Amino acid sequence: MTIAPRLIPLLEQFDFACERLLARLAGPVMDSGNGMDVGVTPLGDDEYLWEPVPGCWSVRRRGDGPGARATALAGAGDWGRDAADFPHPYPPPFTTIAWRLSHLSEMLALRADHTHGGRTLTREGYRTPGDAAGAVAAFETASAAWREALLSADDTALDTVGYSAYPNGSDAEDLFVDVVWWVNQEVLHHGAEIALLRDLYRARPS
C-alpha cells in the first residue's frame, strides 16, 4: 500500500503517541525519553477512577447518576462518562484518567467509523468501560481502527473537506489533513495529562 507522502510524518507521530501512552498505561516498561527503560505498574481500577480533587468528572455506574455539574452520563451500557449540554460548566471540571481515556477512545472509534466505516456509530451507542483493563483495551482497539482509516486516505482524500463525517467536531468543514493533525494533538496532550495523573497517583500521601 502506498501512503501519501504528506501523511507519513503524521502517521509516525500518531504511532509514537499511541505506543507511548499504551506503554505508560500497561507496561511492563516504557522508554523514559532518554533511551532507558522504566518499569511500569499496569493501570489498576482504583487509579483509573481516582478523583484527586472534589468535583471531578469521571466514568460512573449509570445507576449512580452523573457527577457534580454534569447533567448526563454519555454512552451506552452500565457505565457512562460525565457530560453536560453546551455551554459546558466553567471553569471546566477536573477530569480523571477514566474520563480522559474514555474520551480519547470514543473520539478515535467514532472518527474511524465516520471515515472508513459504516458511519453509524454515535456517542449514545458507544460503550464506556468501567474498569482499567477494559479501558486500555478499548483505546488499543480504537487507535488501531483510526490508523486503518488513515491508510485509506490518498492525496485527494487529504485535501477533501468532509472526508471524515465525524458528527461531534468540525470535520464536515475541515480538510482531512487538518483532522489528522487535530487527532494527533488530542492523543499527545491527553496522553501527557494521563501520564501526569499516574505520577500524582504514585506520589499521593499514603
Side-chain angles (χ1 to χ4, degrees):
M1 176 182 296
T2 301
I3 301 175
R6 286 181 296 157
L7 183 58
I8 291 173
L10 291 168
L11 188 61
E12 290 175 346
Q13 184 184 57
F14 177 73
D15 287 344
F16 172 82
C18 291
E19 289 165 7
R20 192 164 179 81
L21 178 54
L22 283 168
R24 283 170 166 161
L25 290 170
V29 296
M30 61 165 283
D31 186 339
S32 65
N34 63 4
M36 299 292 292
D37 283 343
V38 176
V40 173
T41 301
L43 182 69
D45 292 347
D46 287 346
E47 183 180 2
Y48 174 67
L49 295 169
W50 179 53
E51 298 190 16
V53 297
C56 283
W57 274 14
S58 190
V59 164
R60 306 183 191 281
R61 293 185 186 275
R62 198 161 299 280
D64 293 338
R69 296 197 291 159
T71 58
L73 290 174
D78 295 335
W79 294 75
R81 189 176 71 252
D82 282 325
D85 295 330
F86 285 102
H88 289 160
Y90 187 85
F94 193 91
T95 53
T96 63
I97 290 176
W99 194 99
R100 294 169 202 242
L101 194 54
S102 171
H103 163 66
L104 278 178
S105 299
E106 179 204 87
M107 176 200 68
L108 291 167
L110 264 67
R111 275 203 163 99
D113 180 70
H114 285 270
T115 300
H116 190 58
R119 297 192 171 189
T120 58
L121 187 59
T122 65
R123 280 184 172 173
E124 292 74 21
Y126 182 80
R127 299 184 72 86
T128 299
D131 65 294
V136 173
F139 175 76
E140 193 165 13
T141 298
S143 59
W146 176 244
R147 191 182 198 281
E148 183 178 346
L150 294 182
L151 293 177
S152 73
D154 57 15
D155 263 317
T156 299
L158 292 175
D159 288 329
T160 298
V161 174
Y163 185 75
S164 166
Y166 176 65
N168 305 115
S170 61
D171 297 33
E173 304 160 11
D174 292 339
L175 297 174
F176 188 60
V177 69
D178 293 337
V179 174
V180 176
W181 174 88
W182 176 260
V183 171
N184 280 8
Q185 70 82 29
E186 282 282 289
V187 178
L188 286 163
H189 91 256
H190 285 306
E193 292 165 351
I194 290 167
L196 177 59
L197 281 169
R198 295 220 67 189
D199 287 342
L200 289 172
Y201 183 84
R202 189 178 67 248
R204 74 196 188 285
S206 56

